[in-house]
Amino acid sequence: MLRDSRRQQARQGVQVKLLAEDNELYIFAESADRVTKERAMRRRQMKWLWKRLRELIAMEISREEMLMKVGAARSRAPTTSRNVHPPGFKRSHTVERGGCRSGGTRC
């Protein structure tokens, strides 16, 4: 398994893991700078999303309009929106059987 193999330093700030499996060689490279950049991008998205949600809470609009605007905000910040659940909104909902990826009745 990849996580069991040891990391090797390819160069400063870059670590590499190698895994040979079924006549294939898998390479996992991780750059410290790239990890830092991705965290900063998610942090920026999170700040924008919380700001937008505060703006939406202050609006006096119908439930349908609110849901549309929340959906638009979540689509603009998809990476962080998975972790944000505004108060009053349910995390999961019931759908017709087979509507979920898991094939169940709850998403």
Side-chain angles (χ1 to χ4, degrees):
M1 182 158 248
L2 191 61
R3 80 178 104 147
D4 295 338
S5 62
R6 294 183 359 172
R7 293 180 182 209
Q8 299 174 355
Q9 183 123 3
R11 61 179 181 170
Q12 186 177 2
V14 178
Q15 294 187 354
V16 177
K17 287 184 183 182
L18 300 175
L19 175 67
E21 187 176 291
D22 299 331
N23 295 327
E24 297 283 337
L25 179 64
Y26 297 94
I27 301 171
F28 173 74
E30 183 178 56
S31 165
D33 290 339
R34 181 69 187 177
V35 170
T36 303
K37 179 182 178 182
E38 288 171 354
R39 284 183 186 154
M41 289 172 14
R42 284 192 302 271
R43 190 177 308 120
R44 189 169 44 249
Q45 278 187 359
M46 181 73 78
K47 284 182 179 182
W48 177 86
L49 185 58
W50 277 113
K51 179 183 174 212
R52 181 63 179 151
L53 291 175
R54 281 192 296 271
E55 292 170 357
L56 293 176
I57 289 170
M59 293 180 185
E60 293 190 21
I61 55 178
S62 70
R63 180 179 184 276
E64 288 76 23
E65 285 181 275
M66 177 68 74
L67 291 174
M68 293 295 288
K69 289 182 182 289
V70 167
R74 292 182 85 170
S75 68
R76 182 170 168 194
T79 307
T80 56
S81 67
R82 285 179 256 146
N83 301 321
V84 175
H85 307 287
F89 288 91
K90 294 181 181 180
R91 289 180 65 174
S92 62
H93 58 282
T94 304
V95 296
E96 293 179 21
R97 185 144 187 84
C100 294
R101 278 183 260 173
S102 63
T105 57
R106 305 230 356 140
C107 292

